[in-house]
């Protein structure tokens, strides 16, 4: 039987021999087929197929833009622009003028192999992992998929590789188990000017406010427990990347920022300009969160005033004149700083959506990508969101229907949208004074029991005020896309989630420690010298 007819056998890329893989699991995703073995303990999570599909769509659009930009900038020997017709080879074939991608934490190599087989305009994909077992698994999977011309493996520490490869990659993909913070300083230096950083964070408990002290250590920001914690996580992660980039005269432009399942994914362009770095303070804010009613407000770290024909003027804002919440009289918690500017480049998202619609057969999660991107196009730029159940729970009333709440905001002259990060959510530019007026007007026809109010100071304080100018008549633009698009996947596996940390590199660390201990037993005098 030949190799192609038996998917449970593979070619050893070093010895060119066929090894029996009958004990392995065969995973097929996109155009890639890989082997995962429980013996090797290499990390693979099938739940993140959406993450990989979305990344391929983004990189496909970026690679096409990169080729088009190279065409427009090609000059002849006299220095004049000349027309160049680069022939982009099909996916799977190296492109001389294409992009270089680094997958810094490759595990099985599935993502790198899919990049190579499904994206046109690639020059090279470097698949790196610190685990020797993982690298051997990547080599076998690359050989099995006949992707050796594009995918090059590297065994080493991801940070060391990126530090030694400054401005070497157009795209870097970081998908660690947990926080990516320890890789960010090297990543912002290794990506080329105008290049992409694709970053996944799975430590959502830290980012969502369960451990604010740990969040500060890892991300340089205090997280808060708020109903909008998933968007708060996105803004904390963006602030962290901006902070690392700024140290090297570089600044970030968020392209796509999504909260999905158990993780967040941020996709950022990195540019070099010390002058533009000065604008960063005007894009960062501290967050004031009321401990009672959970109302929030933002206070920027700096302000920028544009001047015609002159450089912008930068200044520091005055401290906010607040002591207690004007709505319920409780105190504030202070979090941040967080990224308070835009989360997305909607023009780029439109290009991704057009690409996905044109190539829907390539993506197994096509419907969900289409749903999430469509929702992002309609999202307001207003930072954070409210959820109706959390608002109504503060006064113990039944939850107001989403369309009625949206209608009241629209009738009041404010903008409103959903958030992709949470169901039954509302993003709006309306002040909280008007939002609580809506709740007060709703309670008039849906009264709350007196016993509940007697025991709750916050609820009494919120409802003691008189609402003003609230109109609940159905607005023609109040309908949502919730029933028409797919945003959340059904549970794909029992007990699904981030999965367990890969054990291959942990076993290697334990083995190294064991060797060091044996060495100390054999040469105790030498170990004393080393300790001294």
């Amino acid at each position: 039987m030949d190799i192609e007819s038996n998917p449970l056998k593979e070619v050893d890329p070093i010895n060119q021999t066929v090894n029996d893989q009958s004990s392995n699991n065969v995973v097929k995703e996109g155009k890639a087929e890989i082997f995962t073995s429980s013996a090797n303990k290499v990390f693979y999570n099938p739940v993140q197929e959406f993450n990989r599909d979305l990344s391929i769509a983004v990189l496909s659009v970026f690679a096409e833009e990169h080729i088009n930009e190279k065409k427009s900038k090609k000059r002849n020997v006299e220095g004049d622009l000349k027309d160049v017709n680069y022939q982009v080879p099909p996916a799977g074939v190296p492109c001389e003028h294409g992009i270089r991608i680094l997958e810094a934490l490759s595990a099985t190599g599935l993502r790198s192999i899919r990049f190579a087989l499904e994206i046109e305009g690639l020059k090279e994909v470097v698949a790196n992992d610190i685990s020797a077992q993982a690298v051997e698994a990547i080599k076998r999977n690359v050989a099995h998929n006949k992707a050796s011309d594009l995918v090059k493996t590297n065994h080493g520490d991801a940070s060391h590789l990126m530090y030694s490869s400054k401005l070497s990659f157009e795209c870097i993909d970081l998908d660690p188990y947990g926080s990516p913070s320890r890789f960010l300083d090297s990543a912002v230096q290794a990506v080329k000017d105008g290049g992409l950083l694709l970053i996944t964070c799975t430590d959502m408990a830290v980012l969502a406010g369960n451990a604010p002290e740990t969040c500060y250590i890892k991300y340089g920001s205090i997280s808060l427990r708020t109903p909008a914690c998933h968007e708060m996580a996105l803004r904390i992660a963006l602030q962290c990347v901006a902070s690392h980039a700024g140290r090297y005269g570089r600044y970030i432009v968020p392209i796509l920022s999504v909260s999905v399942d158990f993780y967040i994914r941020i996709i950022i362009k990195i540019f070099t300009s010390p002058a533009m770095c000065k604008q960063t303070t005007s894009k960062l804010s501290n967050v004031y969160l009321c401990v009672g009613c959970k109302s929030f407000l933002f206070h920027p770290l700096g302000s920028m005033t544009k001047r015609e024909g002159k450089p912008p003027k930068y200044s520091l804002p005055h401290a906010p004149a607040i002591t207690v919440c004007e709505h319920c009289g409780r105190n504030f918690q202070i979090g941040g700083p967080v990224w308070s500017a835009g989360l997305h480049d909607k023009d780029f998202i439109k290009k991704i959506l057009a690409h996905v619609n044109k190539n829907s057969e390539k993506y197994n999660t096509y419907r969900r990508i289409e749903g999430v991107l469509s929702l992002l196009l309609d999202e307001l730029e207003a930072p954070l969101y409210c959820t109706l159940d959390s608002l109504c729970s503060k006064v113990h009333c039944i939850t107001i229907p989403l369309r009625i709440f949206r209608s009241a905001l629209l009738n009041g002259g404010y903008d409103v949208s959903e958030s992709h990060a949470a169901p039954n959510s509302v993003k709006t530019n309306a002040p909280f004074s008007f939002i609580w007026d809506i709740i007060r007007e709703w309670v008039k026809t849906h009264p709350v029991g007196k016993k509940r109010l007697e025991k709750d100071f916050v609820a009494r304080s919120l409802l003691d005020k008189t609402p003003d100018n609230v109109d609940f008549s159905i607005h023609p633009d109040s309908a949502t896309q919730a029933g028409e698009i797919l945003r959340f996947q059904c549970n794909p596996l029992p007990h699904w989630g981030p999965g367990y940390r890969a054990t291959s590199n942990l076993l290697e660390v334990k083995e190294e420690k064991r060797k060091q201990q044996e060495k100390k037993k054999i040469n105790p005098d030498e170990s004393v010298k080393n300790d001294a």
Side-chain angles (χ1 to χ4, degrees):
M1 182 181 293
D2 60 9
I3 296 170
E4 284 76 10
S5 61
N6 183 6
L8 298 181
K9 290 190 175 183
E10 63 178 35
V11 177
D12 187 313
I14 299 174
N15 301 320
Q16 294 297 312
T17 57
V18 178
N19 300 323
D20 189 7
Q21 295 291 333
S22 301
S23 62
N24 291 350
N25 297 317
V26 180
V27 175
K28 293 183 179 180
E29 187 179 294
K31 292 185 177 181
E33 179 181 85
I34 67 166
F35 299 105
T36 61
S37 171
S38 58
N40 286 338
K41 305 293 184 182
V42 175
F43 184 78
Y44 164 71
N45 193 345
V47 176
Q48 287 206 9
E49 184 177 4
F50 173 81
N51 184 326
R52 290 183 282 269
D53 280 355
L54 182 60
S55 301
I56 289 169
V58 170
L59 290 172
S60 296
V61 174
F62 180 78
E64 183 180 357
E65 285 189 346
H66 176 79
I67 294 292
N68 291 336
E69 186 178 351
K70 282 223 167 188
K71 289 179 184 178
S72 65
K73 289 186 176 180
K74 189 70 177 178
R75 296 178 181 271
N76 58 25
V77 290
E78 287 80 20
D80 299 323
L81 287 174
K82 65 177 183 178
D83 294 331
V84 177
N85 185 21
Y86 288 146
Q87 294 297 323
V88 180
V93 180
C95 175
E96 181 184 355
H97 305 285
I99 61 175
R100 294 184 74 224
I101 301 175
L102 169 64
E103 189 193 0
L105 309 152
S106 295
T108 62
L110 172 60
R111 190 182 297 252
S112 291
I113 293 169
R114 287 197 62 190
F115 288 167
L117 299 180
E118 299 178 35
I119 300 174
E120 294 181 358
L122 296 191
K123 184 176 184 178
E124 184 182 56
V125 181
V126 177
N128 175 76
D129 205 282
I130 196 172
S131 164
Q133 288 188 17
V135 172
E136 289 305 311
I138 295 168
K139 289 179 179 178
R140 289 193 295 270
N141 289 327
V142 169
H144 177 72
N145 287 273
K146 298 181 175 62
S148 301
D149 290 343
L150 268 171
V151 181
K152 310 301 178 185
T153 58
N154 185 77
H155 177 213
D157 178 79
S159 294
H160 182 270
L161 173 61
M162 290 186 285
Y163 276 128
S164 60
S165 306
K166 289 188 177 181
L167 301 177
S168 294
F169 300 98
E170 280 79 15
C171 304
I172 296 177
D173 193 309
L174 292 174
D175 191 359
Y177 187 95
S179 172
S181 58
R182 62 188 181 277
F183 304 110
L184 296 180
D185 188 76
S186 54
V188 298
Q189 297 181 70
V191 68
K192 288 186 176 181
D193 201 42
L196 280 185
L197 274 183
L198 302 92
I199 302 169
T200 301
C201 308
T202 59
D203 55 337
M204 290 302 291
V206 172
L207 287 165
N210 287 355
E213 64 286 343
T214 305
C215 187
Y216 181 78
I217 292 170
K218 291 186 175 183
Y219 295 95
S221 178
I222 298 293
S223 56
L224 298 172
R225 298 191 70 173
T226 164
C229 59
H230 292 98
E231 185 179 323
M232 186 83 169
L234 289 170
R235 296 185 178 279
I236 289 174
L238 287 171
Q239 173 275 148
C240 185
V241 181
S243 174
H244 282 284
R247 296 166 195 167
Y248 305 101
R250 315 195 83 183
Y251 68 97
I252 71 169
V253 176
I255 299 299
L256 180 64
S257 310
V258 290
S259 172
V260 183
D261 301 331
F262 55 85
Y263 61 91
I264 59 172
R265 181 73 160 167
I266 55 176
I267 300 174
I268 305 161
K269 280 188 177 181
I270 302 285
F271 296 93
T272 303
S273 173
M276 289 292 293
C277 287
K278 294 180 181 179
Q279 298 183 14
T280 301
T281 53
S282 63
K283 300 175 183 177
L284 301 176
S285 298
N286 287 321
V287 184
Y288 288 74
L289 178 69
C290 174
V291 298
C293 65
K294 298 299 181 182
S295 300
F296 55 81
L297 58 91
F298 285 78
H299 187 66
L301 297 189
S303 61
M304 181 187 72
T305 305
K306 293 184 179 180
R307 300 183 294 178
E308 188 174 350
K310 295 181 180 180
K313 181 181 179 181
Y314 302 98
S315 59
L316 294 177
H318 297 288
I322 56 173
T323 52
V324 295
C325 177
E326 63 177 302
H327 311 295
C328 71
R330 298 295 298 273
N331 292 323
F332 284 96
Q333 291 177 329
I334 305 176
V338 303
W339 182 265
S340 52
L343 296 177
H344 320 290
D345 180 341
K346 294 192 176 181
D347 290 334
F348 196 91
I349 291 176
K350 289 176 183 177
K351 294 178 182 178
I352 302 171
L353 193 55
H355 166 81
V356 171
N357 288 330
K358 185 179 178 181
N359 302 275
S360 58
E361 71 285 349
K362 285 177 55 176
Y363 303 104
N364 192 39
T365 59
Y366 156 71
R367 285 191 59 235
R368 193 180 183 199
I369 294 175
E370 181 187 39
V372 171
L373 294 184
S374 298
L375 203 58
L376 294 182
L377 289 177
D378 291 337
E379 267 194 10
L380 288 182
E381 294 293 348
L384 301 189
Y385 55 84
C386 304
T387 57
L388 295 188
D389 52 348
S390 66
L391 288 173
C392 293
S393 69
K394 293 302 175 184
V395 296
H396 309 289
C397 70
I398 64 172
T399 303
I400 182 171
L402 180 57
R403 189 166 189 186
I404 292 179
F405 192 84
R406 287 168 59 94
S407 294
L409 288 168
L410 291 168
N411 291 333
Y414 299 104
D415 298 323
V416 62
S417 76
E418 295 176 89
S419 169
H420 77 280
N424 217 28
S425 58
V426 172
K427 287 177 75 73
T428 180
N429 56 358
F432 265 97
S433 57
F434 188 75
I435 290 173
W436 289 121
D437 274 348
I438 295 174
I439 300 298
R440 295 181 190 108
E441 189 69 28
W442 174 255
V443 169
K444 284 184 177 181
T445 54
H446 301 79
V448 181
K450 291 184 178 179
K451 289 186 178 180
R452 286 192 169 185
L453 294 180
E454 288 174 359
K455 299 178 181 179
D456 194 331
F457 171 79
V458 171
R460 289 201 314 274
S461 299
L462 290 171
L463 295 179
D464 277 348
K465 300 176 183 178
T466 303
D468 184 34
N469 297 327
V470 176
D471 180 6
F472 283 136
S473 59
I474 298 300
H475 193 280
D477 297 329
S478 62
T480 69
Q481 302 183 57
E484 305 170 6
I485 60 176
L486 179 65
R487 283 194 287 173
F488 309 103
Q489 66 177 342
C490 299
N491 293 0
L493 296 169
H495 314 296
W496 68 285
Y500 297 101
R501 184 185 294 273
T503 58
S504 56
N505 55 335
L506 296 180
L507 293 174
E508 292 169 16
V509 170
K510 287 181 180 178
E511 179 64 18
E512 183 63 28
K513 287 183 177 179
R514 187 192 66 77
K515 290 179 180 179
Q516 293 294 333
Q517 289 170 355
E518 291 293 333
K519 185 177 179 182
K520 288 182 179 181
K521 289 179 182 178
I522 297 172
N523 301 307
D525 295 337
E526 186 67 26
S527 65
V528 171
K529 291 179 183 178
N530 292 336
D531 291 340

